[in-house]
Amino acid sequence: MVKFSKELEAQLIPEWKDAFVNYWQLKKHVKKIKLSRKPKQPQEVDRDFGLSIFDPIRSVAKKVAGKFQKSANSTDIIQKKNARDVEDGQGGEEEEEEHEVYENELVQLFSEEDEVNLFFEKLDEELDKVNQFYKSTEDEFLERGDALEKQLQMLLDLKQILADRHRKNSSSFRGTGGGGASPLSSWPSSARTSNFSEAPTELLETTTDASETDDVIAALERNGVTFVGAAARSKLKSNGKPKTTMRIDIPATTPTRMITAVTATLLEDLVNNPRKDGPAYFVYKKRIQYAEKMIRGAFVELYKGLGLLKTYSSLNMMAFTKILKKFDKVAKRQASTSYLKGVKKSHFISSDKVVRLMDEVESIFTKHFANNDSKKAMKFLKPQHNKESHTITFFVGLFTGSFVTLFTIYAILAHIAGIFNSNLDMGYMETVYPVFSIFTLLSLHLFMYGCNLYMWKGTRINHNFIFEFSSSTALKYRDAFLLCTTFMTAVVGAMIVHLLLRANNFSRSKVDAIPGALLLISFAVLVCPIDMFYRSTRFCFIRIMRNIFFSPLYQVLLVDSFMADQLTSQIPLLRHMETTACYLLARSFQTHQYDTCDSGRAYRELSYVISFLPYYWRAMQCARRWFNDSDKTNLANMGKYVSAMVAAGARIAYARQPHNHLWLCTVLVTSVVATMYQLYWDFVRDWGLLEPKSKNPWLRDQLVLKRKSIYYMSIALNVVLRVAWLETVIRFRAGKAEKKMLDFFMASLEVIRRGHWNFYRLENEQLTNAGKFRAVKEVPLPFRETDSD
């Protein structure tokens, strides 16, 4: 049977851990009560050899020794107190009074009642902490609920206006006016403004009759809707018609929306002047759909937060019940019944606002976003979590065994064929090495990511929330291991087939096309639209890569910057992709002229671009975040990637001119500066370590892992792997085949370093979220609230 402490630790919300009742501390108090109830002079066990004439003497001696020991402890403490009093110049009556108080405290120190009182004081503190957190979080969610209801009502009103105009004239949106009741009649009178952050293209312009327009505007204004661009309805244009606009705030997260945001100022004057023969009321339907999607997402997050708060309430109630039962058992009392009555009357148990709001959200979501289909609504509000199947574990083991077996066979065949011998034809290394290095480095990165997922799960790091992944479709660590082993089994199998066909004198042009064919098949599987082979994960990966490639046009999320950081560790893989592309496009697998790419000037210049690209993408992401948040830390982070770009360019130039001492000095200076910059950012910014005043020396106050030595070893390991660039300076003497293998080994070390970095990066992010009690994503709303002025 699992202990409740383990069960509680497994079920509590990680971001709210500090707000939960401290069950473990209360258990320590109960243990102290248990120890205080033990007899201070336990009787010895009867011996088999009978009684002794010295037994009465031993008994008296033990009693005297116990009293003497207790008196000695008291005397020592009192003497220390008196010594401090003499040093401070105190004495006389004050000394005697404090002496008596001190003796009383010493007497109470060892009493059972004192421990019981301390226990209930701590219990009251925990109860008050839980109540306060629950009340504040409940109020926050209730405010969100009120705001969402107003946003939804605004959306319904605008959709109704669109529907009315569409019915009357499909070619334009004309106002219908009328004095009928507005769907917003239940709104409070606080003023609200709908606002486009990108461009005021969603306009409501009045060109209908003045009385008809006045009725529509008056109905909206009575419900708190303020039209931007019309300070007063009494201000009319030359044709006697009022000028009114309404704008919806859609975040500029895509290139299209960002370009619209940049041109907003230029378009505002144009669109705020109605066309002489233009339509009446027009609102672009696409913008309304964006607003609807934002409101729907906000309702989903609100429901999720309410569910977490409900779980918080039930788990704390269970913790109070368990600890009070332990107290009753140890103290031989019946205090749990009366105290639990008080707990049940507390706000976090007695309040039903959360349950009622959850029911209301379910009803609203079912009606307005699921076409009255409750099952469809629950798929959004309560997505089902896929249970981990033992079948996946079986296939992971199967493919792991297959990979080990096939790799052993390949190593034996390669050794027999002597393909890594520098004296033999380098055609095999030129055709096979780049392509299979791509797959191997990808598989290694997948394996490290699977290790990350396993560690994050074991340490309760909520990576799905941090990356904003759906828990129902997110990759599990078993899935990552399955993809990795399947991938490598297929690759090693293709390598064996290629080697056997080559050894049996098959047409080299056809045999050497196998690596390229394998690459094309892998790309086809990646973009395959069929719902198989982890389609949601594949498409998520493609979407993230799109956001990275077109930086800074897309809004930067944490998962985008995280993936871009992974690319900075895969520059050798990108270089291999460049070589493979040149190899296929130049048809070297048919002509067998393998120096075509190396001798080309365009290929050599492109290697600089390939080495710069990951750092450039990451720098542009920092620039975009600085543009959005105005945080100068992002500019400092951008400087780190610029320094890395300079160092990478210097190393490539030195590799082509190894005897140029100027380039050697440039490599040393730029690489040292970039490495120091990166190490500082790794430890201080990304990992949150090296705090000099921390209770954990040179780490941080809060640590997820229990052993501090692991952090110190991780710091040392990261330093060692960060300076692996020294290999380019030392330049070991090796043949061409050995040099390629050494480059592959160094690239693998960098992938391992990145996987090691990943864990501590998300650990720091998790602690940041926990420090702010941030367990639910905040979704921006399309209609902004402003003062009526």
Side-chain angles (χ1 to χ4, degrees), residues 21 55 115 162 195 248 255 258 278 295 321 341-342 357 387 422 424 430 524 539 588 624 638 663 680 711 713-714 788:
V21 57
D55 285 348
E115 293 294 343
L162 281 178
N195 197 354
I248 305 175
M258 194 197 73
I295 295 174
T321 304
K341 289 181 180 178
L357 184 55
K387 295 183 179 180
S422 301
L424 296 180
E430 296 294 340
F539 281 18
S588 297
R624 174 60 189 267
M638 184 173 69
W663 277 119
Y680 165 79
Y711 290 91
M713 289 188 293
S714 296
S788 58

Side-chain angles (χ1 to χ4, degrees), residues 238-486:
S238 57
N239 57 2
K241 295 169 185 173
K243 173 185 175 182
T244 61
T245 63
M246 178 178 291
R247 298 185 293 181
I248 305 175
D249 184 14
I250 306 296
T253 55
T254 63
T256 305
R257 299 183 194 175
M258 194 197 73
I259 293 172
T260 310
V262 173
T263 58
T265 341
L266 301 176
L267 293 176
E268 187 165 291
D269 290 337
L270 176 64
V271 295
N272 278 347
N273 295 312
R275 291 169 287 179
K276 294 181 180 179
D277 55 347
Y281 253 54
F282 68 92
V283 178
Y284 289 129
K285 189 176 181 181
K286 188 175 182 180
R287 298 300 183 226
I288 298 297
Q289 291 175 347
Y290 280 136
E292 182 175 1
K293 185 177 180 180
M294 292 168 66
I295 295 174
R296 183 184 65 187
F299 269 111
V300 172
E301 289 300 317
L302 174 62
Y303 190 84
K304 176 184 175 183
L306 294 171
L308 292 177
L309 193 57
K310 187 177 177 182
T311 303
Y312 173 83
S313 173
S314 60
L315 286 177
N316 278 295
M317 185 62 199
M318 290 174 62
F320 280 115
T321 304
K322 290 288 184 179
I323 199 64
L324 284 168
K325 286 184 177 179
K326 283 183 177 292
F327 171 79
D328 285 352
K329 183 178 180 181
V330 168
K332 307 298 182 182
R333 302 187 183 186
Q334 297 296 327
S336 61
T337 305
S338 58
Y339 197 91
L340 282 176
K341 289 181 180 178
V343 173
K344 291 178 180 178
K345 292 179 181 178
S346 300
H347 185 80
F348 81 97
I349 294 296
S350 61
S351 176
D352 63 341
K353 294 180 181 179
V354 170
V355 177
R356 287 192 284 110
L357 184 55
M358 289 184 71
D359 294 338
E360 188 177 350
V361 170
E362 288 181 10
S363 176
I364 291 174
F365 199 92
T366 302
K367 180 179 179 181
H368 297 289
F369 300 105
N371 296 324
N372 292 318
D373 188 347
S374 58
K375 291 184 178 180
K376 182 180 178 181
M378 287 299 105
K379 288 182 180 179
F380 285 96
L381 297 176
K382 290 183 180 180
Q384 297 294 326
H385 299 278
N386 294 330
K387 295 183 179 180
E388 296 183 357
S389 174
H390 293 289
T391 306
I392 295 180
T393 307
F394 167 75
F395 280 109
V396 169
L398 175 64
F399 285 117
T400 301
S402 302
F403 164 68
V404 172
T405 303
L406 291 175
F407 184 79
T408 304
I409 295 173
Y410 171 77
I412 294 173
L413 293 176
H415 178 72
I416 294 174
I419 61 173
F420 297 117
N421 191 337
S422 301
N423 298 325
L424 296 180
D425 181 22
M426 289 300 298
Y428 184 84
M429 291 297 294
E430 296 294 340
T431 56
V432 173
Y433 170 76
V435 177
F436 290 141
S437 292
I438 293 173
F439 290 114
T440 306
L441 290 175
L442 277 177
S443 299
L444 179 60
H445 217 132
L446 260 176
F447 174 77
M448 294 303 299
Y449 183 64
C451 294
N452 289 149
L453 293 176
Y454 178 79
M455 289 296 297
W456 290 334
K457 180 182 178 182
T459 54
R460 299 298 309 282
I461 294 176
N462 194 356
H463 65 280
N464 286 335
F465 172 71
I466 294 173
F467 288 148
E468 299 184 18
F469 288 162
S470 171
S471 56
S472 59
T473 57
L475 212 63
K476 310 291 191 304
Y477 73 90
R478 286 188 177 91
D479 299 318
F481 289 147
L482 178 62
L483 287 173
C484 168
T485 53
T486 304

Side-chain angles (χ1 to χ4, degrees), residues 689 696 699-705 708 711 763 767:
L689 303 177
N696 302 307
L699 299 179
R700 60 172 114 82
D701 290 339
Q702 291 184 322
L703 301 175
V704 171
L705 301 178
K708 290 185 287 187
Y711 290 91
E763 179 199 21
L767 294 175

